[in-house]
Amino acid sequence: MRFLIALCLVALSTLRATAAVDIQEVESPNGIKAWLVEEHSIPFVALELRFRGGGNLDAEGKRGATNLMMGLLEEGTGDMDARAFARARDTLAASYRFNTNADSVSISARFLTENKEESMDLLRQALVSPSFDETAVERVRQQVLTGIRSSQTDPNDIASRAFAAQVYGDHPYATEFEGTAESVAALTREDIVQAHQNALTLDRVYVSAVGDITAEELGQMLDDLLTGLPESGPELPGDAILTFDGETTVVPFETPQSVALFAQPGMKRDDPDYFAAYILNQILGGSGFDSRLMTEVREKRGLTYGIGSYLVPRDHAELWVGQVASGNDRMADAISVVRDEWAKLATEGVTGEELEQAKTYLTGAYPLRFDSNAAIARILVGMQMDDLPVSYVETRNDRMNAVTLEQINRVASELMQPDKLTFSVVGQPAGL
Amino acid sequence: MKAILSPLGLTFGLFATTALAQADDVTTFTLDNGMDVVVIEDHRSSALTNMVWYKVGAADEPAGKSGIAHFLEHLMFKGTKDMEAGEFSATVAANGGTDNAFTSQDYTAYYQNVAADRLDLMLGMEADRMVNLRMTEAEVLTERDVILEERNMRIENSPQALFSEQADAAQYLNHAYGIPVIGWRQEMEGLTQEDALSFYHQYYAPNNAILVVAGDVVPSDVRDLAEKHFGDLEPNPELGPRMRPQEPPQRAERRLSFSDPRISQPYMIRSYLAPERDSGDQREAAALTLLSNLLGGDGATSYLATKLQFDTQTAVYTSASYSGATLDDTKFTFVVVPAPDVELSEAEAAMDDAIQAFIAEGPDPDDLERIKTQFRASEIYAMDSTSTRANRYGAALSIGLTVEDVQNWVPTVLDITEEEIIEVAKSVLERSSSVTGYVTAGNTPEAGTEG
């Protein structure tokens, strides 16, 4: 009954929402490439910059240097201290966000058309000539250490750490890019200056802009903004060698609800089967209320509030990851259901109905992501980092729809490895 | 159809007439059965956000049934006469959309993000579950386990959240804001299907609901579809104005100490009972909003950051926060995370000294101008997200504000004077109506004695 209604509606009218963004490929006079969507109806611009490398570029023994450096970019430049910088930024009603990840660092800026030049000039100072003065270093170091201390007793963070240490061997992914209390305490100003030279380099920058700006203006703006950064940075790490022992490891921690991470090998973003794997994951544990894991663990048994799974194609490793939280007395049941579902999907595959339903959802939800200038800017930078063409926005749903039942079930049997599914549990789970 | 205009007229002045009232790209009207409709046009993409807000939240629950408003929100995704359990979300997904819901102390809201040509279907399903909810006892029991796990995740596994519950309970002597939205565990464990349905029949009716549609739509189409699906639903004549038990004068400051081995970073909080935004009278709330920004908004330039993090190294983090978007009295809250080797009592004393100094000096005119500049710009930035705008109007109308109040909010903030800010600081930051909490990992801290 429920599928009948749903499918009839789809048949009656095709989905009208489309990701109708007109992407221009822009190159600045100095050769910096960017993607642009002009949207002149609201007088502001969202600018997204990403530099590949991120925490992976931390030098030996300097874990956390990139993260601390990024936290200091807004804390003073030239003759401005942190407070003068913040006052200048707020007077312009601009905002800059500086973020670190394992694979990249990002800068998300938002500024009014009327303050374009001043807003970019200020951001240039933060990016190109941060002062890293000692007072600021100490202040931000204490803030980072406060975060690290808090994460020591957060069950989700404990699970992530235990999991990474177990899976990633001696790759940088095995430790957190925030560093440890010891490594962060030992970082010197020279370490931070070096991290700045390493992380923000022109050969690894990806740019997108969405809003009230033209291609010509953007090109000039990028030259003004970025010229002066180093041309190239140090080598990136190689691929991680992953270990999945298929066991369930418990990290004892006194808390009422256990949290679990689980994973097995994933798939590269450019694999011809990636779309099939993506749909497979949607059916298994993707977003929405209709996945197999959500149905079996939550809707039928009430064992959790939230469960989900994700394909995680990182720059140097591919994983298929899931997470679930369940009371200490029920986690063993939740894990047992997850293992059963994993094995069942590997051997039996999906039904044609499930495949069609997942396609309809994924192709319909895709254009809904393009719902603000800032969101579009983030999507465009992500596409560039994944080496996707501008046309991907239009072809993506066709490629999703091209996945056949034979293909997805072949991928299910090839990719899914129930004996490799490895659990890392934090809490006091009974019976594990 | 019963006459329902009078209670609505009291609460929603703007909706006294059913003529289309339009300001900028926002249009409002009211159906004959009392259901309010807000349409926000944004034609940049072909999507929309569809929301149904009910003017009922956790603070409206009967005594002993804490968590029932939120539990009902979950159960609204079970079946109706025509739909099976789970079919609502499955249908949204099968039409390429996403859906969810949320519950606060003051309102419960359901929404879908979906292609604009699916509005007819969404409204049909929302109208259906407004009046035709069905569920089995087994579904109720399983879903109760789910909300208990939700409580585990949000509260029991977070010592900060556990403390926050205690602090709210201490802040409100009489008002239900002192009871957590998710519910006290022992009461959640006893919630039944009958409790949920009785709450549903009392509060879920068109004259207690607001439809907000934002995106690629035109008001006349929304009106037609709203009439088609909701127009024939009967209002509940027994729903009167929302009068909930209010706070008595608070005459004694409360001091809490909380420790939990899972706390690895000690901190202190101070909250004060504070007035909320009222329809047609938002100046006090606007002044409090500016006060919170001046004292503890920006991590580099706020007054507390200057005094505690830059002039001295007393703290690694300070903040002041206030939101007036509630139906009844809200809170004005400070948080201070002390630097290593600084005692919580020292951090508290430094914070109090700074607040007193601020009141004595008055706001720095440059600081105030800068913050107002940000509010001015926020109106431009806010245009970028339709779902954010839908949320803003839905929440405001659910707590008795009008579209006009929403649109007057930023102009009111911009009009506030330095004197008004100092005046609200003096009247609201009154220790007799405050709660101070020390949160630590180890043994019982020294809180409770500090003056």
Side-chain angles (χ1 to χ4, degrees), chain A residues 42 370-372, chain B residues 25 40-45 47-49 51 113 212-216 381-393:
Chain A
I42 309 174
F370 293 70
D371 69 347
S372 69
Chain B
D25 50 1
I40 303 167
E41 288 183 73
D42 181 344
H43 301 288
R44 287 179 300 162
S45 86
L48 63 74
T49 298
M51 311 189 86
N113 297 311
V212 181
V213 182
D216 190 17
Y381 292 134
M383 299 297 290
D384 194 28
S385 169
T386 18
S387 55
T388 305
R389 296 180 75 202
N391 270 297
R392 183 171 300 174
Y393 281 98

PDB file of all heavy atoms in Angstrom, chain A residues 42 370-372, chain B residues 25 40-45 47-49 51 113 212-216 381-393:
ATOM      1  N   ILE A  42      20.588  39.546  -3.808  1.00  0.00           N
ATOM      2  CA  ILE A  42      20.856  39.936  -2.418  1.00  0.00           C
ATOM      3  C   ILE A  42      22.272  40.522  -2.388  1.00  0.00           C
ATOM      4  O   ILE A  42      23.201  39.887  -2.907  1.00  0.00           O
ATOM      5  CB  ILE A  42      20.761  38.725  -1.462  1.00  0.00           C
ATOM      6  CG1 ILE A  42      19.437  37.971  -1.681  1.00  0.00           C
ATOM      7  CG2 ILE A  42      20.862  39.160  -0.013  1.00  0.00           C
ATOM      8  CD1 ILE A  42      19.329  36.680  -0.883  1.00  0.00           C
ATOM      9  N   PHE A 370      21.056  23.002  -2.588  1.00  0.00           N
ATOM     10  CA  PHE A 370      21.527  24.285  -3.121  1.00  0.00           C
ATOM     11  C   PHE A 370      20.657  25.410  -2.572  1.00  0.00           C
ATOM     12  O   PHE A 370      20.049  26.152  -3.322  1.00  0.00           O
ATOM     13  CB  PHE A 370      21.466  24.260  -4.653  1.00  0.00           C
ATOM     14  CG  PHE A 370      22.429  23.291  -5.290  1.00  0.00           C
ATOM     15  CD1 PHE A 370      22.246  21.908  -5.183  1.00  0.00           C
ATOM     16  CD2 PHE A 370      23.537  23.749  -5.987  1.00  0.00           C
ATOM     17  CE1 PHE A 370      23.139  21.018  -5.769  1.00  0.00           C
ATOM     18  CE2 PHE A 370      24.438  22.859  -6.575  1.00  0.00           C
ATOM     19  CZ  PHE A 370      24.242  21.489  -6.464  1.00  0.00           C
ATOM     20  N   ASP A 371      20.567  25.524  -1.248  1.00  0.00           N
ATOM     21  CA  ASP A 371      19.517  26.373  -0.695  1.00  0.00           C
ATOM     22  C   ASP A 371      19.997  27.703  -0.118  1.00  0.00           C
ATOM     23  O   ASP A 371      19.236  28.405   0.500  1.00  0.00           O
ATOM     24  CB  ASP A 371      18.710  25.586   0.344  1.00  0.00           C
ATOM     25  CG  ASP A 371      19.515  25.290   1.593  1.00  0.00           C
ATOM     26  OD1 ASP A 371      20.753  25.476   1.563  1.00  0.00           O
ATOM     27  OD2 ASP A 371      18.918  24.896   2.599  1.00  0.00           O
ATOM     28  N   SER A 372      21.274  28.042  -0.275  1.00  0.00           N
ATOM     29  CA  SER A 372      21.734  29.373   0.124  1.00  0.00           C
ATOM     30  C   SER A 372      23.062  29.620  -0.577  1.00  0.00           C
ATOM     31  O   SER A 372      23.715  28.684  -1.040  1.00  0.00           O
ATOM     32  CB  SER A 372      21.918  29.468   1.645  1.00  0.00           C
ATOM     33  OG  SER A 372      23.002  28.670   2.054  1.00  0.00           O
TER      34      SER A 372
ATOM     35  N   ASP B  25       7.919  40.417   0.825  1.00  0.00           N
ATOM     36  CA  ASP B  25       7.575  39.157   0.178  1.00  0.00           C
ATOM     37  C   ASP B  25       6.888  38.209   1.154  1.00  0.00           C
ATOM     38  O   ASP B  25       6.856  37.019   0.946  1.00  0.00           O
ATOM     39  CB  ASP B  25       8.839  38.516  -0.408  1.00  0.00           C
ATOM     40  CG  ASP B  25       9.948  38.470   0.614  1.00  0.00           C
ATOM     41  OD1 ASP B  25       9.722  38.905   1.762  1.00  0.00           O
ATOM     42  OD2 ASP B  25      11.037  37.993   0.268  1.00  0.00           O
ATOM     43  N   ILE B  40       6.066  32.962   2.463  1.00  0.00           N
ATOM     44  CA  ILE B  40       7.293  33.725   2.221  1.00  0.00           C
ATOM     45  C   ILE B  40       7.778  33.357   0.826  1.00  0.00           C
ATOM     46  O   ILE B  40       8.103  32.202   0.557  1.00  0.00           O
ATOM     47  CB  ILE B  40       8.365  33.375   3.274  1.00  0.00           C
ATOM     48  CG1 ILE B  40       7.824  33.644   4.686  1.00  0.00           C
ATOM     49  CG2 ILE B  40       9.649  34.152   3.013  1.00  0.00           C
ATOM     50  CD1 ILE B  40       8.675  33.041   5.786  1.00  0.00           C
ATOM     51  N   GLU B  41       7.786  34.320  -0.058  1.00  0.00           N
ATOM     52  CA  GLU B  41       8.172  34.032  -1.443  1.00  0.00           C
ATOM     53  C   GLU B  41       9.677  34.153  -1.632  1.00  0.00           C
ATOM     54  O   GLU B  41      10.292  35.135  -1.215  1.00  0.00           O
ATOM     55  CB  GLU B  41       7.473  35.004  -2.387  1.00  0.00           C
ATOM     56  CG  GLU B  41       5.987  34.740  -2.537  1.00  0.00           C
ATOM     57  CD  GLU B  41       5.375  35.707  -3.540  1.00  0.00           C
ATOM     58  OE1 GLU B  41       5.620  35.531  -4.738  1.00  0.00           O
ATOM     59  OE2 GLU B  41       4.678  36.636  -3.097  1.00  0.00           O
ATOM     60  N   ASP B  42      10.251  33.154  -2.254  1.00  0.00           N
ATOM     61  CA  ASP B  42      11.667  33.205  -2.651  1.00  0.00           C
ATOM     62  C   ASP B  42      11.776  32.344  -3.909  1.00  0.00           C
ATOM     63  O   ASP B  42      11.697  31.125  -3.840  1.00  0.00           O
ATOM     64  CB  ASP B  42      12.566  32.668  -1.536  1.00  0.00           C
ATOM     65  CG  ASP B  42      14.048  32.733  -1.916  1.00  0.00           C
ATOM     66  OD1 ASP B  42      14.354  32.906  -3.112  1.00  0.00           O
ATOM     67  OD2 ASP B  42      14.891  32.604  -1.015  1.00  0.00           O
ATOM     68  N   HIS B  43      11.939  32.996  -5.046  1.00  0.00           N
ATOM     69  CA  HIS B  43      11.882  32.268  -6.318  1.00  0.00           C
ATOM     70  C   HIS B  43      13.271  31.953  -6.877  1.00  0.00           C
ATOM     71  O   HIS B  43      13.411  31.693  -8.061  1.00  0.00           O
ATOM     72  CB  HIS B  43      11.042  33.064  -7.320  1.00  0.00           C
ATOM     73  CG  HIS B  43       9.638  33.307  -6.836  1.00  0.00           C
ATOM     74  ND1 HIS B  43       8.703  32.303  -6.766  1.00  0.00           N
ATOM     75  CD2 HIS B  43       9.044  34.410  -6.335  1.00  0.00           C
ATOM     76  CE1 HIS B  43       7.564  32.802  -6.270  1.00  0.00           C
ATOM     77  NE2 HIS B  43       7.756  34.077  -5.997  1.00  0.00           N
ATOM     78  N   ARG B  44      14.299  31.967  -6.000  1.00  0.00           N
ATOM     79  CA  ARG B  44      15.651  31.678  -6.509  1.00  0.00           C
ATOM     80  C   ARG B  44      15.801  30.210  -6.899  1.00  0.00           C
ATOM     81  O   ARG B  44      16.592  29.872  -7.753  1.00  0.00           O
ATOM     82  CB  ARG B  44      16.710  32.047  -5.456  1.00  0.00           C
ATOM     83  CG  ARG B  44      16.911  33.553  -5.287  1.00  0.00           C
ATOM     84  CD  ARG B  44      17.943  33.835  -4.215  1.00  0.00           C
ATOM     85  NE  ARG B  44      17.528  33.294  -2.935  1.00  0.00           N
ATOM     86  CZ  ARG B  44      18.339  33.085  -1.910  1.00  0.00           C
ATOM     87  NH1 ARG B  44      19.625  33.322  -2.013  1.00  0.00           N
ATOM     88  NH2 ARG B  44      17.868  32.597  -0.783  1.00  0.00           N
ATOM     89  N   SER B  45      15.103  29.324  -6.208  1.00  0.00           N
ATOM     90  CA  SER B  45      15.147  27.915  -6.610  1.00  0.00           C
ATOM     91  C   SER B  45      13.726  27.382  -6.658  1.00  0.00           C
ATOM     92  O   SER B  45      12.793  28.068  -6.248  1.00  0.00           O
ATOM     93  CB  SER B  45      15.985  27.087  -5.632  1.00  0.00           C
ATOM     94  OG  SER B  45      15.175  26.664  -4.556  1.00  0.00           O
ATOM     95  N   ALA B  47      12.372  25.033  -4.972  1.00  0.00           N
ATOM     96  CA  ALA B  47      12.066  24.226  -3.795  1.00  0.00           C
ATOM     97  C   ALA B  47      11.237  25.032  -2.805  1.00  0.00           C
ATOM     98  O   ALA B  47      11.056  26.232  -2.963  1.00  0.00           O
ATOM     99  CB  ALA B  47      13.362  23.777  -3.133  1.00  0.00           C
ATOM    100  N   LEU B  48      10.738  24.343  -1.785  1.00  0.00           N
ATOM    101  CA  LEU B  48      10.066  25.064  -0.717  1.00  0.00           C
ATOM    102  C   LEU B  48      10.233  24.335   0.617  1.00  0.00           C
ATOM    103  O   LEU B  48      10.577  23.158   0.663  1.00  0.00           O
ATOM    104  CB  LEU B  48       8.588  25.288  -1.020  1.00  0.00           C
ATOM    105  CG  LEU B  48       7.643  24.097  -1.180  1.00  0.00           C
ATOM    106  CD1 LEU B  48       7.296  23.434   0.139  1.00  0.00           C
ATOM    107  CD2 LEU B  48       6.371  24.567  -1.850  1.00  0.00           C
ATOM    108  N   THR B  49      10.000  25.104   1.679  1.00  0.00           N
ATOM    109  CA  THR B  49       9.904  24.553   3.024  1.00  0.00           C
ATOM    110  C   THR B  49       8.464  24.687   3.462  1.00  0.00           C
ATOM    111  O   THR B  49       7.908  25.777   3.385  1.00  0.00           O
ATOM    112  CB  THR B  49      10.815  25.333   3.998  1.00  0.00           C
ATOM    113  OG1 THR B  49      12.166  25.200   3.569  1.00  0.00           O
ATOM    114  CG2 THR B  49      10.679  24.803   5.414  1.00  0.00           C
ATOM    115  N   MET B  51       5.902  24.126   6.638  1.00  0.00           N
ATOM    116  CA  MET B  51       5.917  23.892   8.086  1.00  0.00           C
ATOM    117  C   MET B  51       4.517  24.047   8.668  1.00  0.00           C
ATOM    118  O   MET B  51       3.796  24.981   8.318  1.00  0.00           O
ATOM    119  CB  MET B  51       6.830  24.905   8.800  1.00  0.00           C
ATOM    120  CG  MET B  51       8.206  25.068   8.195  1.00  0.00           C
ATOM    121  SD  MET B  51       9.284  26.071   9.264  1.00  0.00           S
ATOM    122  CE  MET B  51       9.926  24.809  10.373  1.00  0.00           C
ATOM    123  N   ASN B 113      11.139  19.702   3.438  1.00  0.00           N
ATOM    124  CA  ASN B 113      11.812  20.431   2.369  1.00  0.00           C
ATOM    125  C   ASN B 113      11.619  19.608   1.114  1.00  0.00           C
ATOM    126  O   ASN B 113      11.993  18.436   1.077  1.00  0.00           O
ATOM    127  CB  ASN B 113      13.307  20.595   2.667  1.00  0.00           C
ATOM    128  CG  ASN B 113      13.538  21.415   3.918  1.00  0.00           C
ATOM    129  OD1 ASN B 113      12.956  22.483   4.065  1.00  0.00           O
ATOM    130  ND2 ASN B 113      14.362  20.910   4.815  1.00  0.00           N
ATOM    131  N   VAL B 212       3.274  27.654   7.599  1.00  0.00           N
ATOM    132  CA  VAL B 212       4.276  28.544   7.004  1.00  0.00           C
ATOM    133  C   VAL B 212       4.822  27.853   5.756  1.00  0.00           C
ATOM    134  O   VAL B 212       5.343  26.745   5.835  1.00  0.00           O
ATOM    135  CB  VAL B 212       5.430  28.837   7.986  1.00  0.00           C
ATOM    136  CG1 VAL B 212       6.446  29.792   7.346  1.00  0.00           C
ATOM    137  CG2 VAL B 212       4.914  29.419   9.293  1.00  0.00           C
ATOM    138  N   VAL B 213       4.650  28.503   4.626  1.00  0.00           N
ATOM    139  CA  VAL B 213       5.193  27.965   3.382  1.00  0.00           C
ATOM    140  C   VAL B 213       6.180  28.979   2.821  1.00  0.00           C
ATOM    141  O   VAL B 213       5.830  30.145   2.608  1.00  0.00           O
ATOM    142  CB  VAL B 213       4.077  27.691   2.351  1.00  0.00           C
ATOM    143  CG1 VAL B 213       4.683  27.079   1.083  1.00  0.00           C
ATOM    144  CG2 VAL B 213       3.023  26.757   2.934  1.00  0.00           C
ATOM    145  N   ALA B 214       7.421  28.547   2.614  1.00  0.00           N
ATOM    146  CA  ALA B 214       8.457  29.473   2.160  1.00  0.00           C
ATOM    147  C   ALA B 214       9.168  28.888   0.958  1.00  0.00           C
ATOM    148  O   ALA B 214       9.586  27.737   0.983  1.00  0.00           O
ATOM    149  CB  ALA B 214       9.457  29.730   3.286  1.00  0.00           C
ATOM    150  N   GLY B 215       9.298  29.685  -0.099  1.00  0.00           N
ATOM    151  CA  GLY B 215      10.017  29.211  -1.270  1.00  0.00           C
ATOM    152  C   GLY B 215       9.343  29.630  -2.556  1.00  0.00           C
ATOM    153  O   GLY B 215       8.732  30.710  -2.643  1.00  0.00           O
ATOM    154  N   ASP B 216       9.388  28.743  -3.546  1.00  0.00           N
ATOM    155  CA  ASP B 216       8.939  29.064  -4.894  1.00  0.00           C
ATOM    156  C   ASP B 216       7.420  28.897  -5.021  1.00  0.00           C
ATOM    157  O   ASP B 216       6.948  27.980  -5.694  1.00  0.00           O
ATOM    158  CB  ASP B 216       9.682  28.154  -5.882  1.00  0.00           C
ATOM    159  CG  ASP B 216       9.471  28.575  -7.327  1.00  0.00           C
ATOM    160  OD1 ASP B 216       9.036  29.729  -7.540  1.00  0.00           O
ATOM    161  OD2 ASP B 216       9.730  27.758  -8.220  1.00  0.00           O
ATOM    162  N   TYR B 381      21.728  39.334   5.230  1.00  0.00           N
ATOM    163  CA  TYR B 381      22.173  37.938   5.252  1.00  0.00           C
ATOM    164  C   TYR B 381      20.992  36.981   5.454  1.00  0.00           C
ATOM    165  O   TYR B 381      20.987  35.861   4.927  1.00  0.00           O
ATOM    166  CB  TYR B 381      23.219  37.724   6.352  1.00  0.00           C
ATOM    167  CG  TYR B 381      24.540  38.429   6.098  1.00  0.00           C
ATOM    168  CD1 TYR B 381      25.175  39.167   7.101  1.00  0.00           C
ATOM    169  CD2 TYR B 381      25.175  38.346   4.862  1.00  0.00           C
ATOM    170  CE1 TYR B 381      26.386  39.803   6.874  1.00  0.00           C
ATOM    171  CE2 TYR B 381      26.377  38.983   4.619  1.00  0.00           C
ATOM    172  CZ  TYR B 381      26.989  39.713   5.634  1.00  0.00           C
ATOM    173  OH  TYR B 381      28.190  40.332   5.412  1.00  0.00           O
ATOM    174  N   ALA B 382      20.014  37.415   6.251  1.00  0.00           N
ATOM    175  CA  ALA B 382      18.870  36.542   6.555  1.00  0.00           C
ATOM    176  C   ALA B 382      18.069  36.192   5.308  1.00  0.00           C
ATOM    177  O   ALA B 382      17.412  35.152   5.252  1.00  0.00           O
ATOM    178  CB  ALA B 382      17.964  37.203   7.590  1.00  0.00           C
ATOM    179  N   MET B 383      18.139  37.066   4.288  1.00  0.00           N
ATOM    180  CA  MET B 383      17.386  36.798   3.059  1.00  0.00           C
ATOM    181  C   MET B 383      17.909  35.563   2.331  1.00  0.00           C
ATOM    182  O   MET B 383      17.258  35.037   1.434  1.00  0.00           O
ATOM    183  CB  MET B 383      17.491  37.993   2.097  1.00  0.00           C
ATOM    184  CG  MET B 383      16.932  39.289   2.620  1.00  0.00           C
ATOM    185  SD  MET B 383      15.181  39.188   2.926  1.00  0.00           S
ATOM    186  CE  MET B 383      14.572  39.103   1.235  1.00  0.00           C
ATOM    187  N   ASP B 384      19.107  35.095   2.708  1.00  0.00           N
ATOM    188  CA  ASP B 384      19.754  34.024   1.949  1.00  0.00           C
ATOM    189  C   ASP B 384      19.144  32.651   2.199  1.00  0.00           C
ATOM    190  O   ASP B 384      19.266  31.761   1.377  1.00  0.00           O
ATOM    191  CB  ASP B 384      21.255  34.004   2.285  1.00  0.00           C
ATOM    192  CG  ASP B 384      22.040  33.156   1.297  1.00  0.00           C
ATOM    193  OD1 ASP B 384      21.595  33.035   0.138  1.00  0.00           O
ATOM    194  OD2 ASP B 384      23.080  32.612   1.682  1.00  0.00           O
ATOM    195  N   SER B 385      18.520  32.440   3.352  1.00  0.00           N
ATOM    196  CA  SER B 385      18.023  31.102   3.663  1.00  0.00           C
ATOM    197  C   SER B 385      16.524  31.120   3.912  1.00  0.00           C
ATOM    198  O   SER B 385      16.050  31.655   4.911  1.00  0.00           O
ATOM    199  CB  SER B 385      18.751  30.546   4.895  1.00  0.00           C
ATOM    200  OG  SER B 385      18.100  29.377   5.328  1.00  0.00           O
ATOM    201  N   THR B 386      15.772  30.518   2.990  1.00  0.00           N
ATOM    202  CA  THR B 386      14.312  30.480   3.145  1.00  0.00           C
ATOM    203  C   THR B 386      13.900  29.684   4.373  1.00  0.00           C
ATOM    204  O   THR B 386      12.958  30.038   5.057  1.00  0.00           O
ATOM    205  CB  THR B 386      13.614  29.821   1.934  1.00  0.00           C
ATOM    206  OG1 THR B 386      14.559  29.066   1.215  1.00  0.00           O
ATOM    207  CG2 THR B 386      12.983  30.832   1.067  1.00  0.00           C
ATOM    208  N   SER B 387      14.618  28.587   4.652  1.00  0.00           N
ATOM    209  CA  SER B 387      14.190  27.778   5.792  1.00  0.00           C
ATOM    210  C   SER B 387      14.413  28.539   7.098  1.00  0.00           C
ATOM    211  O   SER B 387      13.622  28.439   8.038  1.00  0.00           O
ATOM    212  CB  SER B 387      14.912  26.429   5.811  1.00  0.00           C
ATOM    213  OG  SER B 387      16.298  26.609   5.781  1.00  0.00           O
ATOM    214  N   THR B 388      15.490  29.339   7.158  1.00  0.00           N
ATOM    215  CA  THR B 388      15.714  30.147   8.351  1.00  0.00           C
ATOM    216  C   THR B 388      14.607  31.180   8.523  1.00  0.00           C
ATOM    217  O   THR B 388      14.110  31.411   9.629  1.00  0.00           O
ATOM    218  CB  THR B 388      17.075  30.861   8.257  1.00  0.00           C
ATOM    219  OG1 THR B 388      18.079  29.873   8.040  1.00  0.00           O
ATOM    220  CG2 THR B 388      17.395  31.638   9.524  1.00  0.00           C
ATOM    221  N   ARG B 389      14.195  31.775   7.411  1.00  0.00           N
ATOM    222  CA  ARG B 389      13.111  32.763   7.505  1.00  0.00           C
ATOM    223  C   ARG B 389      11.809  32.091   7.920  1.00  0.00           C
ATOM    224  O   ARG B 389      11.045  32.625   8.730  1.00  0.00           O
ATOM    225  CB  ARG B 389      12.932  33.472   6.161  1.00  0.00           C
ATOM    226  CG  ARG B 389      14.140  34.296   5.760  1.00  0.00           C
ATOM    227  CD  ARG B 389      13.911  34.984   4.424  1.00  0.00           C
ATOM    228  NE  ARG B 389      13.019  36.107   4.534  1.00  0.00           N
ATOM    229  CZ  ARG B 389      12.318  36.615   3.518  1.00  0.00           C
ATOM    230  NH1 ARG B 389      12.388  36.056   2.320  1.00  0.00           N
ATOM    231  NH2 ARG B 389      11.556  37.657   3.690  1.00  0.00           N
ATOM    232  N   ALA B 390      11.540  30.906   7.379  1.00  0.00           N
ATOM    233  CA  ALA B 390      10.326  30.180   7.751  1.00  0.00           C
ATOM    234  C   ALA B 390      10.324  29.901   9.253  1.00  0.00           C
ATOM    235  O   ALA B 390       9.315  30.069   9.939  1.00  0.00           O
ATOM    236  CB  ALA B 390      10.226  28.882   6.956  1.00  0.00           C
ATOM    237  N   ASN B 391      11.481  29.486   9.762  1.00  0.00           N
ATOM    238  CA  ASN B 391      11.596  29.217  11.194  1.00  0.00           C
ATOM    239  C   ASN B 391      11.353  30.469  12.033  1.00  0.00           C
ATOM    240  O   ASN B 391      10.708  30.421  13.072  1.00  0.00           O
ATOM    241  CB  ASN B 391      12.997  28.685  11.510  1.00  0.00           C
ATOM    242  CG  ASN B 391      13.044  27.183  11.408  1.00  0.00           C
ATOM    243  OD1 ASN B 391      12.363  26.492  12.148  1.00  0.00           O
ATOM    244  ND2 ASN B 391      13.833  26.675  10.484  1.00  0.00           N
ATOM    245  N   ARG B 392      11.914  31.580  11.571  1.00  0.00           N
ATOM    246  CA  ARG B 392      11.791  32.814  12.340  1.00  0.00           C
ATOM    247  C   ARG B 392      10.327  33.224  12.469  1.00  0.00           C
ATOM    248  O   ARG B 392       9.850  33.540  13.561  1.00  0.00           O
ATOM    249  CB  ARG B 392      12.605  33.899  11.640  1.00  0.00           C
ATOM    250  CG  ARG B 392      12.633  35.201  12.370  1.00  0.00           C
ATOM    251  CD  ARG B 392      13.627  36.146  11.742  1.00  0.00           C
ATOM    252  NE  ARG B 392      14.989  35.590  11.755  1.00  0.00           N
ATOM    253  CZ  ARG B 392      16.024  36.177  11.155  1.00  0.00           C
ATOM    254  NH1 ARG B 392      15.851  37.301  10.496  1.00  0.00           N
ATOM    255  NH2 ARG B 392      17.215  35.637  11.228  1.00  0.00           N
ATOM    256  N   TYR B 393       9.597  33.194  11.359  1.00  0.00           N
ATOM    257  CA  TYR B 393       8.179  33.599  11.411  1.00  0.00           C
ATOM    258  C   TYR B 393       7.346  32.571  12.177  1.00  0.00           C
ATOM    259  O   TYR B 393       6.485  32.927  12.974  1.00  0.00           O
ATOM    260  CB  TYR B 393       7.631  33.805   9.995  1.00  0.00           C
ATOM    261  CG  TYR B 393       8.030  35.135   9.397  1.00  0.00           C
ATOM    262  CD1 TYR B 393       9.109  35.242   8.526  1.00  0.00           C
ATOM    263  CD2 TYR B 393       7.339  36.291   9.736  1.00  0.00           C
ATOM    264  CE1 TYR B 393       9.476  36.475   7.985  1.00  0.00           C
ATOM    265  CE2 TYR B 393       7.701  37.525   9.204  1.00  0.00           C
ATOM    266  CZ  TYR B 393       8.766  37.612   8.325  1.00  0.00           C
ATOM    267  OH  TYR B 393       9.140  38.824   7.809  1.00  0.00           O
TER     268      TYR B 393
END
